[in-house]
Amino acid sequence: MSTAIAQATPLHPVQGASELASVCARHPDVPRLVVLKTDVQRRGVHYTDRALALLDPERHSVTGTHIFGARDGRIAPRPESLLLRDGSSIITTPTPLEQRPYVVDHVDGRLALVDGGAPIEEVEYWPRPDYYAKRTRSGLPMKFVVSARPQRLNVFPYRHCHFWNDGEGCLFCDIVPQLRKGKDDLGIPARLDPEDVRETVAEALREPGRFVGICITAGSNTRGARPFDAEVDYYVEILRAIGASFRTPRFPSQLIGTAFEPAQLERLRRETGLTSYTADLEVLDERLFSWICPGKARWVGYREWKERLVRAVDVFGRGRVDTGIVAGVELARPHGFATEEEGLRRTLDEAEELASRGVSTVFIVWSPRPGTALAGQRNASLDYYVALAEGLHGLRARYGLPIDFDDYRHCGNHPDTDLSRLLRP
Ligand code: SF4
């Protein structure tokens, strides 16, 4: 790569590259690209003007629904995210330069991740799916109805979360500030019409061989005869609209919803083609759950949330149920674990109890964003995240839990499930 171009790249302390190398050396069983991806998610990215000049909305995915915010708080047409040479994704967002993100630059004719002024890995922008250029019959741009990762379709049908009505949204979340921005700046409706979803999914699936699964998620809706019945009603409508594109009764799908009661789960299974279920605990500790997820704690509670996950295994089967955590938030100030050692040990202990009962735990890297209650805090060290990825992967290996529905192709946002390609049967 050309020295002249590398010198023109914004310079930051070189600590990053050496930290990456030393973490790789300490975790020889974790591929370097997984460590790098984790670090890019941890630190975020800054796109240089040269890199942005290569972004072609006709060929690349440009940030679409903005359901969650960027670390720099902006809504702007920027690359949705990045692809690595091994075909895995880095899901990350633009981050202010003073926070020392990786830099994405145009170096010697290619896009590269640059750190400390040195290019360290080639990357690509996500390819734009064909349907992004189209509109539904109601006139809505299809890219606002269903967003695409490299191999998965994401449907975010409801952009409000009722926990916020009582000031009980999760402390790391910015769904409601983003709902306002999405409505005002982009004209995205808070609640999608299932017919728009049906049309868009049908159009997306015309592109041969690209998508391996569909993920549906939305904010929690506490309404209904029993809490969350309204959320289930709407998911049934949306899943049936998606299912209209399939000739088989079941289709590859993941619902990330609230922790539903068994009767609600059975209804989802019976009335739709849903094949896997996720209900995010966000943090694996009862005391921290009550602090960080006050709405979930009041409406369901930590222990009951776990029990509902275990009961979901009876409905969807082993290897078809997991819970997500926002890794690093368990260390947030002022109530988080005092040390990373304690955070790792306590998180893996809880994850093991869940794994022993058939429930996988997957993590995303906590990215402190300006519209959240924990804005301005720092996430954990790279070593912490890599050890957590190894630990969670190791639990799945020990308890024989497949994670195909949430792996590098179906999701791409979990460093721990990137390791499932190494999992022995
Ligand atoms: S449940 Fe928590 S993380 Fe999910 S949308 Fe509501 S506030 Fe955000």
Side-chain angles (χ1 to χ4, degrees):
M1 308 225 180
S2 114
T3 314
I5 290 178
Q7 280 171 349
T9 302
L11 285 172
H12 307 286
V14 287
Q15 171 201 345
S18 60
E19 185 186 7
L20 183 72
S22 64
V23 172
C24 286
R26 277 200 294 282
H27 302 272
D29 293 339
V30 181
R32 175 183 169 275
L33 287 182
V34 175
V35 179
L36 175 63
K37 160 197 178 133
T38 310
D39 205 27
V40 178
Q41 292 183 313
R42 191 175 76 91
R43 288 171 48 193
V45 287
H46 167 80
Y47 295 98
T48 65
D49 290 344
R50 283 187 300 245
L52 288 176
L54 291 185
L55 182 69
D56 177 357
E58 298 295 311
R59 293 194 302 119
H60 301 127
S61 280
V62 176
T63 317
T65 54
H66 296 271
I67 187 164
F68 298 114
R71 272 158 94 163
D72 65 4
R74 290 180 58 215
I75 284 192
R78 295 178 289 192
E80 183 75 60
S81 234
L82 301 166
L83 262 176
L84 286 163
R85 279 180 297 131
D86 66 352
S88 61
S89 305
I90 308 177
I91 297 171
T92 186
T93 64
T95 301
L97 269 174
E98 57 273 20
Q99 292 179 28
R100 210 174 62 80
Y102 280 84
V103 170
V104 180
D105 202 358
H106 183 198
V107 183
D108 283 351
R110 293 183 170 180
L111 273 181
L113 282 167
V114 174
D115 195 27
I120 56 169
E121 185 57 52
E122 184 181 336
V123 285
E124 287 178 54
Y125 293 146
W126 288 2
R128 191 198 77 165
D130 296 343
Y131 75 90
Y132 265 31
K134 303 194 170 162
R135 288 179 181 265
T136 63
R137 273 181 296 174
S138 70
L140 206 54
M142 286 187 172
K143 66 181 179 189
F144 290 160
V145 180
V146 177
S147 53
R149 290 186 182 173
Q151 297 184 65
R152 150 170 131 173
L153 295 170
N154 275 333
V155 189
F156 303 124
Y158 187 52
R159 296 166 67 94
H160 182 56
C161 173
H162 289 235
F163 295 147
W164 289 67
N165 296 354
D166 302 311
E168 293 182 330
C170 301
L171 302 194
F172 53 81
C173 180
D174 55 3
I175 192 169
V176 168
Q178 285 301 113
L179 157 76
R180 295 188 196 112
K181 285 188 187 179
K183 226 153 113 189
D184 298 346
D185 299 6
L186 302 166
I188 304 178
R191 183 185 167 95
L192 293 177
D193 184 331
E195 178 56 22
D196 284 328
V197 175
R198 189 195 65 73
E199 274 180 55
T200 306
V201 169
E203 190 61 37
L205 295 179
R206 285 170 187 269
E207 195 168 335
R210 171 153 178 181
F211 298 109
V212 295
I214 301 178
C215 177
I216 302 98
T217 190
S220 287
N221 185 344
T222 53
R223 291 184 187 141
R226 287 169 308 176
F228 310 110
D229 269 354
E231 186 177 335
V232 173
D233 288 345
Y234 185 49
Y235 285 144
V236 167
E237 274 190 83
I238 293 290
L239 282 159
R240 290 175 75 91
I242 295 168
S245 288
F246 292 86
R247 285 193 293 271
T248 50
R250 307 238 154 256
F251 52 90
S253 48
Q254 176 188 20
L255 172 65
I256 306 176
T258 309
F260 298 127
E261 294 177 22
Q264 293 169 322
L265 291 169
E266 277 155 17
R267 182 174 168 221
L268 281 163
R269 170 87 187 167
R270 190 175 59 245
E271 295 184 18
T272 77
L274 182 64
T275 50
S276 65
Y277 171 71
T278 300
D280 293 337
L281 272 161
E282 321 288 9
V283 60
L284 294 187
D285 178 83
E286 186 166 10
R287 177 182 63 88
L288 295 178
F289 181 80
S290 298
W291 171 49
I292 292 170
C293 307
K296 293 185 180 199
R298 186 162 72 85
W299 283 88
V300 180
Y302 185 75
R303 292 177 199 193
E304 177 62 16
W305 196 287
K306 282 170 55 176
E307 286 309 309
R308 291 183 187 187
L309 281 164
V310 172
R311 278 175 270 162
V313 178
D314 298 333
V315 179
F316 289 96
R318 260 182 93 75
R320 311 302 302 171
V321 176
D322 69 2
T323 188
I325 58 172
V326 180
V329 84
E330 62 279 9
L331 302 163
R333 301 274 75 86
H335 302 302
F337 294 126
T339 64
E340 291 197 344
E341 291 70 25
E342 185 187 8
L344 192 60
R345 179 173 50 77
R346 299 274 293 266
T347 299
L348 289 175
D349 282 353
E350 283 283 291
E352 176 148 22
E353 193 223 315
L354 286 165
S356 72
R357 304 175 76 192
V359 177
S360 262
T361 300
V362 301
F363 81 86
I364 60 167
V365 173
W366 174 34
S367 119
R369 297 190 298 267
T372 68
L374 297 175
Q377 298 215 23
R378 291 184 60 128
N379 51 22
S381 71
L382 178 58
D383 204 50
Y384 182 85
Y385 286 116
V386 176
L388 183 62
E390 281 189 301
L392 294 176
H393 169 72
L395 289 175
R396 276 189 286 280
R398 189 172 317 146
Y399 290 94
L401 283 176
I403 195 71
D404 323 11
F405 71 96
D406 217 350
D407 66 4
Y408 74 103
R409 291 199 303 157
H410 291 77
C411 178
N413 200 15
H414 309 303
D416 55 298
T417 72
D418 281 3
L419 300 176
S420 64
R421 282 180 285 176
L422 311 174
L423 188 67
R424 288 193 207 96

